[in-house]
Amino acid sequence: MTLAQWTEVDDYFNDLLVGPDEALDAAVEASDKAGLPAIQVAANQGKLLNLLARLQGARTVLEIGTLGGYSTIWLARALPEGGRLVTLEFDPECAEVARGNIERAGLADVVEIRVGRALDTLPELAEQGYGPFDIVFIDADKPSNPDYLAWSLKLTRPGSLIIADNVVRDGEVVDGGSDDPKVQGVRRFTELVAAEPALTATALQTVGGKGYDGLMLALVTDGQ
């Protein structure tokens, strides 16, 4: 199996099940032109996030890591009238690109972008009475994933869903001796999820046009 074959399969399913989308395609193009790294979720993964939010009946979403707003658009589109998505982005340039992409998609009245370190803006959300969120999507700097998990638990309720991207790291997640802080961040995050009585979780490996990685899904429970 090769990346070329994975990409071909992605293209097959995307052509049939996702299809072209003017706003999303424009978001990718604008992000590329602005020099943002092409690390947004793949189209089929964006559709998966959208479906999970719809299945969850989500009205409120917290996204940690905006980049160019591609996944933001997918998630915001799943919300019913009156729904709200708050997305946190460290880089002002990324936030500005995302703002344009979100406005172009007609979602400016649904999405609130907060700029700054997520570990600074998350306490602000709690202090200002935000939450509980129905879905939290974690897709930011991996060394901080353990801290993002702690805040996610504070800002959710039983029945909420926490989704974390990039948890496989090309398979390096199994290397306990790795000197990569991203790998160690994901490993510690996974250990904390496994030990948390208020979570029941699983992780899925994925291959495709974005390479070899995976997602973690954790349902917040009452701890029983």
Side-chain angles (χ1 to χ4, degrees), residues 86-133:
V86 179
T87 184
L88 312 180
E89 175 54 47
F90 170 74
D91 189 329
E93 293 184 9
C94 289
E96 188 60 29
V97 173
R99 188 170 287 108
N101 289 335
I102 290 162
E103 289 176 356
R104 188 185 302 108
L107 295 165
D109 59 342
V110 177
V111 176
E112 176 185 351
I113 302 175
R114 295 212 171 191
V115 183
R117 290 180 67 250
L119 294 180
D120 294 328
T121 52
L122 285 164
E124 292 174 359
L125 291 178
E127 291 170 4
Q128 294 165 9
Y130 280 73
F133 290 94

mmCIF file of all heavy atoms in Angstrom, residues 86-133:
data_model
loop_
_atom_site.group_PDB
_atom_site.id
_atom_site.type_symbol
_atom_site.label_atom_id
_atom_site.label_comp_id
_atom_site.label_asym_id
_atom_site.label_seq_id
_atom_site.Cartn_x
_atom_site.Cartn_y
_atom_site.Cartn_z
ATOM 1 N N VAL A 86 -17.211 28.134 18.968
ATOM 2 C CA VAL A 86 -16.090 28.969 19.400
ATOM 3 C C VAL A 86 -14.813 28.258 18.991
ATOM 4 O O VAL A 86 -14.621 27.079 19.314
ATOM 5 C CB VAL A 86 -16.097 29.199 20.922
ATOM 6 C CG1 VAL A 86 -14.898 30.059 21.329
ATOM 7 C CG2 VAL A 86 -17.400 29.854 21.363
ATOM 8 N N THR A 87 -13.947 28.959 18.270
ATOM 9 C CA THR A 87 -12.694 28.358 17.823
ATOM 10 C C THR A 87 -11.516 29.191 18.310
ATOM 11 O O THR A 87 -11.572 30.424 18.302
ATOM 12 C CB THR A 87 -12.674 28.180 16.288
ATOM 13 O OG1 THR A 87 -11.476 27.505 15.904
ATOM 14 C CG2 THR A 87 -12.773 29.506 15.561
ATOM 15 N N LEU A 88 -10.474 28.520 18.767
ATOM 16 C CA LEU A 88 -9.323 29.156 19.389
ATOM 17 C C LEU A 88 -8.100 29.005 18.493
ATOM 18 O O LEU A 88 -7.766 27.900 18.083
ATOM 19 C CB LEU A 88 -9.037 28.519 20.757
ATOM 20 C CG LEU A 88 -10.228 28.347 21.703
ATOM 21 C CD1 LEU A 88 -9.774 27.703 23.007
ATOM 22 C CD2 LEU A 88 -10.927 29.672 21.971
ATOM 23 N N GLU A 89 -7.433 30.126 18.204
ATOM 24 C CA GLU A 89 -6.271 30.096 17.324
ATOM 25 C C GLU A 89 -5.162 30.967 17.884
ATOM 26 O O GLU A 89 -5.390 32.136 18.223
ATOM 27 C CB GLU A 89 -6.650 30.576 15.923
ATOM 28 C CG GLU A 89 -5.481 30.698 14.959
ATOM 29 C CD GLU A 89 -4.653 29.423 14.835
ATOM 30 O OE1 GLU A 89 -5.250 28.333 14.682
ATOM 31 O OE2 GLU A 89 -3.408 29.516 14.899
ATOM 32 N N PHE A 90 -3.969 30.409 17.966
ATOM 33 C CA PHE A 90 -2.812 31.126 18.512
ATOM 34 C C PHE A 90 -2.268 32.175 17.544
ATOM 35 O O PHE A 90 -1.915 33.290 17.939
ATOM 36 C CB PHE A 90 -1.711 30.127 18.861
ATOM 37 C CG PHE A 90 -0.401 30.768 19.213
ATOM 38 C CD1 PHE A 90 -0.231 31.411 20.427
ATOM 39 C CD2 PHE A 90 0.659 30.741 18.322
ATOM 40 C CE1 PHE A 90 0.968 32.017 20.756
ATOM 41 C CE2 PHE A 90 1.869 31.339 18.639
ATOM 42 C CZ PHE A 90 2.020 31.991 19.858
ATOM 43 N N ASP A 91 -2.209 31.840 16.261
ATOM 44 C CA ASP A 91 -1.542 32.677 15.259
ATOM 45 C C ASP A 91 -2.512 33.702 14.675
ATOM 46 O O ASP A 91 -3.494 33.319 14.027
ATOM 47 C CB ASP A 91 -0.996 31.778 14.150
ATOM 48 C CG ASP A 91 -0.107 32.519 13.162
ATOM 49 O OD1 ASP A 91 -0.337 33.710 12.932
ATOM 50 O OD2 ASP A 91 0.817 31.891 12.612
ATOM 51 N N PRO A 92 -2.260 35.001 14.842
ATOM 52 C CA PRO A 92 -3.169 36.017 14.300
ATOM 53 C C PRO A 92 -3.333 35.942 12.794
ATOM 54 O O PRO A 92 -4.420 36.233 12.266
ATOM 55 C CB PRO A 92 -2.520 37.341 14.715
ATOM 56 C CG PRO A 92 -1.653 37.000 15.885
ATOM 57 C CD PRO A 92 -1.166 35.618 15.627
ATOM 58 N N GLU A 93 -2.269 35.558 12.070
ATOM 59 C CA GLU A 93 -2.367 35.458 10.613
ATOM 60 C C GLU A 93 -3.307 34.329 10.213
ATOM 61 O O GLU A 93 -4.128 34.486 9.297
ATOM 62 C CB GLU A 93 -0.983 35.252 10.007
ATOM 63 C CG GLU A 93 -0.060 36.461 10.167
ATOM 64 C CD GLU A 93 1.280 36.260 9.477
ATOM 65 O OE1 GLU A 93 1.433 35.254 8.739
ATOM 66 O OE2 GLU A 93 2.168 37.109 9.661
ATOM 67 N N CYS A 94 -3.206 33.193 10.887
ATOM 68 C CA CYS A 94 -4.135 32.095 10.621
ATOM 69 C C CYS A 94 -5.568 32.523 10.935
ATOM 70 O O CYS A 94 -6.497 32.233 10.164
ATOM 71 C CB CYS A 94 -3.769 30.876 11.458
ATOM 72 S SG CYS A 94 -2.248 30.035 10.960
ATOM 73 N N ALA A 95 -5.732 33.212 12.049
ATOM 74 C CA ALA A 95 -7.068 33.650 12.449
ATOM 75 C C ALA A 95 -7.674 34.599 11.417
ATOM 76 O O ALA A 95 -8.874 34.537 11.130
ATOM 77 C CB ALA A 95 -7.009 34.322 13.814
ATOM 78 N N GLU A 96 -6.852 35.457 10.836
ATOM 79 C CA GLU A 96 -7.349 36.399 9.836
ATOM 80 C C GLU A 96 -7.783 35.666 8.570
ATOM 81 O O GLU A 96 -8.824 35.978 7.979
ATOM 82 C CB GLU A 96 -6.280 37.439 9.515
ATOM 83 C CG GLU A 96 -6.768 38.582 8.638
ATOM 84 C CD GLU A 96 -7.901 39.361 9.259
ATOM 85 O OE1 GLU A 96 -7.996 39.441 10.505
ATOM 86 O OE2 GLU A 96 -8.727 39.905 8.484
ATOM 87 N N VAL A 97 -6.982 34.697 8.138
ATOM 88 C CA VAL A 97 -7.368 33.884 6.980
ATOM 89 C C VAL A 97 -8.660 33.126 7.276
ATOM 90 O O VAL A 97 -9.582 33.088 6.448
ATOM 91 C CB VAL A 97 -6.241 32.908 6.598
ATOM 92 C CG1 VAL A 97 -6.702 31.949 5.501
ATOM 93 C CG2 VAL A 97 -5.002 33.670 6.143
ATOM 94 N N ALA A 98 -8.730 32.530 8.457
ATOM 95 C CA ALA A 98 -9.927 31.781 8.848
ATOM 96 C C ALA A 98 -11.156 32.686 8.870
ATOM 97 O O ALA A 98 -12.243 32.287 8.420
ATOM 98 C CB ALA A 98 -9.719 31.142 10.216
ATOM 99 N N ARG A 99 -10.992 33.896 9.359
ATOM 100 C CA ARG A 99 -12.123 34.825 9.427
ATOM 101 C C ARG A 99 -12.694 35.083 8.032
ATOM 102 O O ARG A 99 -13.909 35.060 7.823
ATOM 103 C CB ARG A 99 -11.685 36.126 10.092
ATOM 104 C CG ARG A 99 -12.819 37.084 10.377
ATOM 105 C CD ARG A 99 -12.370 38.244 11.241
ATOM 106 N NE ARG A 99 -12.150 37.822 12.630
ATOM 107 C CZ ARG A 99 -10.969 37.705 13.199
ATOM 108 N NH1 ARG A 99 -9.864 37.971 12.517
ATOM 109 N NH2 ARG A 99 -10.868 37.318 14.452
ATOM 110 N N GLY A 100 -11.800 35.305 7.056
ATOM 111 C CA GLY A 100 -12.259 35.512 5.692
ATOM 112 C C GLY A 100 -12.947 34.282 5.126
ATOM 113 O O GLY A 100 -13.977 34.391 4.447
ATOM 114 N N ASN A 101 -12.385 33.114 5.386
ATOM 115 C CA ASN A 101 -12.974 31.874 4.880
ATOM 116 C C ASN A 101 -14.348 31.616 5.500
ATOM 117 O O ASN A 101 -15.280 31.171 4.811
ATOM 118 C CB ASN A 101 -12.044 30.701 5.179
ATOM 119 C CG ASN A 101 -10.785 30.727 4.333
ATOM 120 O OD1 ASN A 101 -10.760 31.299 3.247
ATOM 121 N ND2 ASN A 101 -9.720 30.110 4.824
ATOM 122 N N ILE A 102 -14.459 31.890 6.780
ATOM 123 C CA ILE A 102 -15.729 31.661 7.483
ATOM 124 C C ILE A 102 -16.789 32.652 7.012
ATOM 125 O O ILE A 102 -17.964 32.295 6.803
ATOM 126 C CB ILE A 102 -15.499 31.747 8.997
ATOM 127 C CG1 ILE A 102 -14.684 30.526 9.465
ATOM 128 C CG2 ILE A 102 -16.812 31.834 9.763
ATOM 129 C CD1 ILE A 102 -14.035 30.693 10.821
ATOM 130 N N GLU A 103 -16.401 33.896 6.810
ATOM 131 C CA GLU A 103 -17.341 34.895 6.285
ATOM 132 C C GLU A 103 -17.808 34.509 4.884
ATOM 133 O O GLU A 103 -18.994 34.622 4.551
ATOM 134 C CB GLU A 103 -16.686 36.270 6.275
ATOM 135 C CG GLU A 103 -16.485 36.863 7.666
ATOM 136 C CD GLU A 103 -15.752 38.196 7.638
ATOM 137 O OE1 GLU A 103 -15.336 38.619 6.525
ATOM 138 O OE2 GLU A 103 -15.603 38.807 8.711
ATOM 139 N N ARG A 104 -16.883 34.058 4.044
ATOM 140 C CA ARG A 104 -17.229 33.651 2.682
ATOM 141 C C ARG A 104 -18.222 32.490 2.698
ATOM 142 O O ARG A 104 -19.085 32.388 1.825
ATOM 143 C CB ARG A 104 -15.975 33.254 1.916
ATOM 144 C CG ARG A 104 -16.213 32.990 0.431
ATOM 145 C CD ARG A 104 -14.965 32.477 -0.272
ATOM 146 N NE ARG A 104 -13.843 33.400 -0.144
ATOM 147 C CZ ARG A 104 -12.780 33.199 0.617
ATOM 148 N NH1 ARG A 104 -12.683 32.087 1.351
ATOM 149 N NH2 ARG A 104 -11.807 34.071 0.677
ATOM 150 N N ALA A 105 -18.105 31.624 3.698
ATOM 151 C CA ALA A 105 -19.008 30.481 3.820
ATOM 152 C C ALA A 105 -20.354 30.862 4.430
ATOM 153 O O ALA A 105 -21.226 29.995 4.580
ATOM 154 C CB ALA A 105 -18.348 29.392 4.661
ATOM 155 N N GLY A 106 -20.518 32.133 4.791
ATOM 156 C CA GLY A 106 -21.791 32.591 5.352
ATOM 157 C C GLY A 106 -22.004 32.186 6.795
ATOM 158 O O GLY A 106 -23.152 32.091 7.250
ATOM 159 N N LEU A 107 -20.911 32.005 7.545
ATOM 160 C CA LEU A 107 -21.021 31.486 8.908
ATOM 161 C C LEU A 107 -20.486 32.454 9.957
ATOM 162 O O LEU A 107 -20.264 32.072 11.102
ATOM 163 C CB LEU A 107 -20.266 30.156 9.016
ATOM 164 C CG LEU A 107 -20.840 29.016 8.172
ATOM 165 C CD1 LEU A 107 -19.833 27.874 8.061
ATOM 166 C CD2 LEU A 107 -22.152 28.521 8.772
ATOM 167 N N ALA A 108 -20.306 33.712 9.574
ATOM 168 C CA ALA A 108 -19.737 34.686 10.505
ATOM 169 C C ALA A 108 -20.603 34.882 11.740
ATOM 170 O O ALA A 108 -20.094 35.205 12.820
ATOM 171 C CB ALA A 108 -19.520 36.029 9.799
ATOM 172 N N ASP A 109 -21.913 34.682 11.604
ATOM 173 C CA ASP A 109 -22.801 34.865 12.747
ATOM 174 C C ASP A 109 -22.915 33.611 13.610
ATOM 175 O O ASP A 109 -23.580 33.624 14.649
ATOM 176 C CB ASP A 109 -24.201 35.286 12.273
ATOM 177 C CG ASP A 109 -24.835 34.260 11.337
ATOM 178 O OD1 ASP A 109 -24.105 33.415 10.790
ATOM 179 O OD2 ASP A 109 -26.067 34.313 11.163
ATOM 180 N N VAL A 110 -22.239 32.543 13.187
ATOM 181 C CA VAL A 110 -22.272 31.281 13.936
ATOM 182 C C VAL A 110 -20.964 31.063 14.690
ATOM 183 O O VAL A 110 -20.953 30.488 15.779
ATOM 184 C CB VAL A 110 -22.522 30.091 12.979
ATOM 185 C CG1 VAL A 110 -22.490 28.759 13.729
ATOM 186 C CG2 VAL A 110 -23.839 30.260 12.246
ATOM 187 N N VAL A 111 -19.866 31.553 14.110
ATOM 188 C CA VAL A 111 -18.522 31.245 14.603
ATOM 189 C C VAL A 111 -17.906 32.448 15.305
ATOM 190 O O VAL A 111 -17.931 33.566 14.800
ATOM 191 C CB VAL A 111 -17.603 30.811 13.446
ATOM 192 C CG1 VAL A 111 -16.177 30.581 13.943
ATOM 193 C CG2 VAL A 111 -18.149 29.551 12.777
ATOM 194 N N GLU A 112 -17.338 32.194 16.465
ATOM 195 C CA GLU A 112 -16.554 33.190 17.201
ATOM 196 C C GLU A 112 -15.101 32.729 17.236
ATOM 197 O O GLU A 112 -14.810 31.635 17.720
ATOM 198 C CB GLU A 112 -17.085 33.347 18.626
ATOM 199 C CG GLU A 112 -16.260 34.286 19.489
ATOM 200 C CD GLU A 112 -16.736 34.346 20.932
ATOM 201 O OE1 GLU A 112 -17.814 33.798 21.236
ATOM 202 O OE2 GLU A 112 -16.004 34.929 21.757
ATOM 203 N N ILE A 113 -14.205 33.565 16.710
ATOM 204 C CA ILE A 113 -12.776 33.252 16.712
ATOM 205 C C ILE A 113 -12.109 34.003 17.852
ATOM 206 O O ILE A 113 -12.251 35.227 17.958
ATOM 207 C CB ILE A 113 -12.108 33.643 15.387
ATOM 208 C CG1 ILE A 113 -12.772 32.923 14.208
ATOM 209 C CG2 ILE A 113 -10.616 33.322 15.424
ATOM 210 C CD1 ILE A 113 -12.251 33.358 12.856
ATOM 211 N N ARG A 114 -11.395 33.284 18.689
ATOM 212 C CA ARG A 114 -10.634 33.900 19.769
ATOM 213 C C ARG A 114 -9.142 33.684 19.489
ATOM 214 O O ARG A 114 -8.708 32.548 19.288
ATOM 215 C CB ARG A 114 -11.005 33.322 21.123
ATOM 216 C CG ARG A 114 -12.435 33.621 21.515
ATOM 217 C CD ARG A 114 -12.575 33.758 22.997
ATOM 218 N NE ARG A 114 -13.885 34.256 23.365
ATOM 219 C CZ ARG A 114 -14.205 34.658 24.577
ATOM 220 N NH1 ARG A 114 -13.287 34.622 25.557
ATOM 221 N NH2 ARG A 114 -15.420 35.102 24.850
ATOM 222 N N VAL A 115 -8.391 34.768 19.500
ATOM 223 C CA VAL A 115 -6.977 34.722 19.149
ATOM 224 C C VAL A 115 -6.132 34.783 20.416
ATOM 225 O O VAL A 115 -6.358 35.626 21.298
ATOM 226 C CB VAL A 115 -6.611 35.880 18.207
ATOM 227 C CG1 VAL A 115 -5.139 35.786 17.795
ATOM 228 C CG2 VAL A 115 -7.508 35.870 16.970
ATOM 229 N N GLY A 116 -5.150 33.895 20.502
ATOM 230 C CA GLY A 116 -4.253 33.849 21.653
ATOM 231 C C GLY A 116 -3.944 32.411 22.005
ATOM 232 O O GLY A 116 -4.465 31.469 21.392
ATOM 233 N N ARG A 117 -3.081 32.220 22.972
ATOM 234 C CA ARG A 117 -2.767 30.870 23.448
ATOM 235 C C ARG A 117 -4.027 30.229 24.006
ATOM 236 O O ARG A 117 -4.719 30.821 24.829
ATOM 237 C CB ARG A 117 -1.701 30.904 24.540
ATOM 238 C CG ARG A 117 -0.325 31.280 24.083
ATOM 239 C CD ARG A 117 0.659 31.288 25.263
ATOM 240 N NE ARG A 117 0.884 29.949 25.810
ATOM 241 C CZ ARG A 117 0.458 29.530 26.993
ATOM 242 N NH1 ARG A 117 -0.236 30.337 27.782
ATOM 243 N NH2 ARG A 117 0.736 28.308 27.417
ATOM 244 N N ALA A 118 -4.316 29.021 23.547
ATOM 245 C CA ALA A 118 -5.518 28.356 24.026
ATOM 246 C C ALA A 118 -5.501 28.179 25.534
ATOM 247 O O ALA A 118 -6.551 28.239 26.188
ATOM 248 C CB ALA A 118 -5.673 27.004 23.335
ATOM 249 N N LEU A 119 -4.314 27.991 26.109
ATOM 250 C CA LEU A 119 -4.240 27.823 27.562
ATOM 251 C C LEU A 119 -4.503 29.124 28.299
ATOM 252 O O LEU A 119 -4.646 29.132 29.523
ATOM 253 C CB LEU A 119 -2.886 27.230 27.953
ATOM 254 C CG LEU A 119 -2.647 25.805 27.450
ATOM 255 C CD1 LEU A 119 -1.286 25.297 27.891
ATOM 256 C CD2 LEU A 119 -3.762 24.876 27.930
ATOM 257 N N ASP A 120 -4.564 30.242 27.561
ATOM 258 C CA ASP A 120 -5.009 31.506 28.135
ATOM 259 C C ASP A 120 -6.495 31.751 27.854
ATOM 260 O O ASP A 120 -7.212 32.255 28.717
ATOM 261 C CB ASP A 120 -4.201 32.677 27.561
ATOM 262 C CG ASP A 120 -2.735 32.626 27.957
ATOM 263 O OD1 ASP A 120 -2.443 32.138 29.066
ATOM 264 O OD2 ASP A 120 -1.894 33.077 27.162
ATOM 265 N N THR A 121 -6.938 31.403 26.647
ATOM 266 C CA THR A 121 -8.330 31.681 26.280
ATOM 267 C C THR A 121 -9.311 30.657 26.864
ATOM 268 O O THR A 121 -10.482 30.989 27.093
ATOM 269 C CB THR A 121 -8.486 31.744 24.752
ATOM 270 O OG1 THR A 121 -7.924 30.564 24.159
ATOM 271 C CG2 THR A 121 -7.760 32.959 24.192
ATOM 272 N N LEU A 122 -8.859 29.440 27.121
ATOM 273 C CA LEU A 122 -9.758 28.450 27.732
ATOM 274 C C LEU A 122 -10.223 28.873 29.125
ATOM 275 O O LEU A 122 -11.422 28.799 29.421
ATOM 276 C CB LEU A 122 -9.072 27.082 27.772
ATOM 277 C CG LEU A 122 -9.001 26.357 26.429
ATOM 278 C CD1 LEU A 122 -7.989 25.216 26.477
ATOM 279 C CD2 LEU A 122 -10.377 25.829 26.030
ATOM 280 N N PRO A 123 -9.319 29.351 30.010
ATOM 281 C CA PRO A 123 -9.799 29.844 31.302
ATOM 282 C C PRO A 123 -10.755 31.025 31.151
ATOM 283 O O PRO A 123 -11.705 31.157 31.936
ATOM 284 C CB PRO A 123 -8.513 30.267 32.028
ATOM 285 C CG PRO A 123 -7.429 29.477 31.378
ATOM 286 C CD PRO A 123 -7.846 29.330 29.943
ATOM 287 N N GLU A 124 -10.531 31.871 30.143
ATOM 288 C CA GLU A 124 -11.437 32.992 29.913
ATOM 289 C C GLU A 124 -12.831 32.507 29.566
ATOM 290 O O GLU A 124 -13.829 33.057 30.049
ATOM 291 C CB GLU A 124 -10.896 33.882 28.787
ATOM 292 C CG GLU A 124 -9.616 34.632 29.137
ATOM 293 C CD GLU A 124 -9.039 35.374 27.950
ATOM 294 O OE1 GLU A 124 -9.642 35.284 26.848
ATOM 295 O OE2 GLU A 124 -7.989 36.035 28.102
ATOM 296 N N LEU A 125 -12.912 31.469 28.734
ATOM 297 C CA LEU A 125 -14.223 30.919 28.386
ATOM 298 C C LEU A 125 -14.951 30.429 29.637
ATOM 299 O O LEU A 125 -16.149 30.672 29.817
ATOM 300 C CB LEU A 125 -14.073 29.769 27.387
ATOM 301 C CG LEU A 125 -13.626 30.105 25.974
ATOM 302 C CD1 LEU A 125 -13.478 28.823 25.151
ATOM 303 C CD2 LEU A 125 -14.607 31.047 25.290
ATOM 304 N N ALA A 126 -14.211 29.724 30.488
ATOM 305 C CA ALA A 126 -14.820 29.210 31.714
ATOM 306 C C ALA A 126 -15.290 30.354 32.609
ATOM 307 O O ALA A 126 -16.416 30.313 33.148
ATOM 308 C CB ALA A 126 -13.826 28.325 32.456
ATOM 309 N N GLU A 127 -14.457 31.373 32.753
ATOM 310 C CA GLU A 127 -14.818 32.515 33.604
ATOM 311 C C GLU A 127 -16.031 33.263 33.067
ATOM 312 O O GLU A 127 -16.828 33.814 33.835
ATOM 313 C CB GLU A 127 -13.625 33.467 33.716
ATOM 314 C CG GLU A 127 -12.452 32.916 34.510
ATOM 315 C CD GLU A 127 -11.220 33.789 34.393
ATOM 316 O OE1 GLU A 127 -11.310 34.863 33.754
ATOM 317 O OE2 GLU A 127 -10.163 33.393 34.931
ATOM 318 N N GLN A 128 -16.178 33.290 31.749
ATOM 319 C CA GLN A 128 -17.268 34.019 31.122
ATOM 320 C C GLN A 128 -18.541 33.187 30.979
ATOM 321 O O GLN A 128 -19.524 33.644 30.399
ATOM 322 C CB GLN A 128 -16.815 34.542 29.756
ATOM 323 C CG GLN A 128 -15.724 35.601 29.863
ATOM 324 C CD GLN A 128 -15.014 35.856 28.555
ATOM 325 O OE1 GLN A 128 -15.423 35.363 27.501
ATOM 326 N NE2 GLN A 128 -13.925 36.612 28.590
ATOM 327 N N GLY A 129 -18.519 31.977 31.500
ATOM 328 C CA GLY A 129 -19.725 31.158 31.536
ATOM 329 C C GLY A 129 -20.015 30.369 30.278
ATOM 330 O O GLY A 129 -21.142 29.886 30.103
ATOM 331 N N TYR A 130 -19.030 30.219 29.399
ATOM 332 C CA TYR A 130 -19.240 29.398 28.211
ATOM 333 C C TYR A 130 -19.323 27.926 28.612
ATOM 334 O O TYR A 130 -18.741 27.497 29.586
ATOM 335 C CB TYR A 130 -18.091 29.578 27.226
ATOM 336 C CG TYR A 130 -18.178 30.833 26.389
ATOM 337 C CD1 TYR A 130 -17.918 32.077 26.947
ATOM 338 C CD2 TYR A 130 -18.506 30.776 25.036
ATOM 339 C CE1 TYR A 130 -17.984 33.238 26.193
ATOM 340 C CE2 TYR A 130 -18.566 31.930 24.263
ATOM 341 C CZ TYR A 130 -18.302 33.156 24.844
ATOM 342 O OH TYR A 130 -18.369 34.305 24.091
ATOM 343 N N GLY A 131 -20.049 27.183 27.817
ATOM 344 C CA GLY A 131 -20.199 25.759 28.057
ATOM 345 C C GLY A 131 -21.463 25.474 28.856
ATOM 346 O O GLY A 131 -22.143 26.385 29.301
ATOM 347 N N PRO A 132 -21.774 24.186 29.045
ATOM 348 C CA PRO A 132 -20.998 23.065 28.519
ATOM 349 C C PRO A 132 -21.164 22.924 27.005
ATOM 350 O O PRO A 132 -22.238 23.158 26.469
ATOM 351 C CB PRO A 132 -21.582 21.854 29.246
ATOM 352 C CG PRO A 132 -22.997 22.257 29.561
ATOM 353 C CD PRO A 132 -22.948 23.729 29.814
ATOM 354 N N PHE A 133 -20.075 22.565 26.343
ATOM 355 C CA PHE A 133 -20.089 22.354 24.909
ATOM 356 C C PHE A 133 -20.498 20.911 24.601
ATOM 357 O O PHE A 133 -20.152 19.987 25.325
ATOM 358 C CB PHE A 133 -18.706 22.624 24.311
ATOM 359 C CG PHE A 133 -18.322 24.072 24.334
ATOM 360 C CD1 PHE A 133 -17.564 24.588 25.383
ATOM 361 C CD2 PHE A 133 -18.707 24.926 23.316
ATOM 362 C CE1 PHE A 133 -17.202 25.925 25.404
ATOM 363 C CE2 PHE A 133 -18.349 26.268 23.324
ATOM 364 C CZ PHE A 133 -17.591 26.773 24.381
#
